[in-house]
Amino acid sequence: MRALITNDDGIDSPGLAALAGVAAAAGLEVVIAAPAHEHSGASASIIATQGAAVTAAGGKGTVRSERRRLEGIEGEAYAVHAAPALITLLALHGSFGGAPDVVLSGINRGANVGGAIMHSGTVGAALTAGQGGVRALAVSLDVGLVELPQQHWGTAATIAGRALARLLDAPAGTILNVNVPNVADAEALELVEAPLAPFGIVQTTMTELDGDDVRLSIREHSAADAPGTDMERLAAGAATVTVVRTIADRTP
């Protein structure tokens, strides 16, 4: 099976290399195609960062990519000047070799929980794959809003391996969203199923109108406000997995 590895933190993210290692250890053929620059918060946007934007009206554009060699990673790697959802869409059409059988997105720097996952470029890539009938996994490491001195990518990779085994046995188009606590001991972590919280860890709100300018602020939510959800269980120290539904799952 062929696996596309992508993210929204960019081609040089340590989480990307860790996730590629998970796919290789599972015996998958690995191709990496990730943004040349960070695209956090890009959601499922399909824009190119250089050249013309891809439009629903059929406009023509050029998406530039560059071959890369990532240390310790076998297989092809591309730094693409595009958002992760567009990279995934291009991959589904065979732009980086054969079309992938599975898409792995992450490992993201920061949790993606609750309804706020709709804004995540990491999850946006997985949603795009699922919409195309391809299994997808989005993985995030809960390092909070500030830079921590130690980020346990190896722990997140171990949990991602468990989730990947489940994904490969799932029906085509399945999307799993995984969040991992930033702890050293992966073996002590339980991977629990949890529904999405109705909100995310943070919420952007308008605080003031100043002429033509709108001032924004970020407000943190308490995990205790969403008992039994991915947000609450992650805060309690468990790794969480959520099956994410797409518009393809909706019935008329």
Side-chain angles (χ1 to χ4, degrees):
M1 296 182 71
R2 184 174 174 85
L4 170 71
I5 316 299
T6 191
N7 70 355
D8 69 4
D9 288 326
I11 187 76
D12 296 315
S13 168
L16 182 77
L19 192 56
V22 171
L28 303 181
E29 178 188 355
V30 172
V31 59
I32 296 172
H37 307 287
E38 184 173 351
H39 274 74
S40 294
S43 187
S45 171
I46 52 170
I47 59 169
T49 54
Q50 292 192 11
V54 175
T55 68
K60 295 182 179 179
T62 300
V63 179
R64 188 161 66 91
S65 64
E66 302 148 1
R67 293 283 188 120
R68 285 286 189 91
R69 178 73 179 172
L70 300 185
E71 186 176 352
I73 301 297
E74 297 291 334
E76 298 176 340
Y78 302 84
V80 189
H81 292 271
L86 176 55
I87 293 171
T88 301
L89 188 62
L90 293 173
L92 296 181
H93 289 283
S95 294
F96 308 107
D101 301 293
V102 63
V103 171
L104 310 183
S105 185
I107 299 167
N108 189 64
R109 184 182 287 107
N112 278 305
V113 295
I117 66 169
M118 66 179 289
H119 304 299
S120 164
T122 301
V123 180
L127 289 171
T128 303
Q131 188 66 18
V134 173
R135 299 171 183 86
L137 173 66
V139 185
S140 302
L141 179 63
D142 185 18
V143 293
L145 300 177
V146 295
E147 193 77 12
L148 296 177
Q150 203 164 14
Q151 299 178 353
H152 296 286
W153 301 109
T155 298
T158 297
I159 300 301
R162 296 184 203 169
L164 177 59
R166 170 178 169 176
L167 180 71
L168 295 178
D169 286 335
T174 296
I175 304 166
L176 301 181
N177 184 51
V178 170
N179 285 281
V180 183
N182 187 45
V183 297
D185 187 3
E187 298 306 318
L189 283 178
E190 184 182 4
L191 181 60
V192 300
E193 185 115 17
L196 293 174
F199 40 75
I201 292 175
V202 297
Q203 179 181 7
T204 302
T205 61
M206 184 188 77
T207 57
E208 182 183 355
L209 282 173
D210 183 10
D212 292 332
D213 296 329
V214 177
R215 298 185 185 277
L216 303 176
S217 66
I218 294 178
R219 183 180 69 188
E220 290 192 54
H221 285 292
S222 170
D225 295 333
T229 66
D230 59 345
M231 182 175 168
E232 186 270 335
R233 292 181 181 179
L234 179 65
T240 64
V241 58
T242 304
V243 179
V244 181
R245 307 298 178 188
T246 72
I247 59 172
D249 294 320
R250 298 182 183 274
T251 56

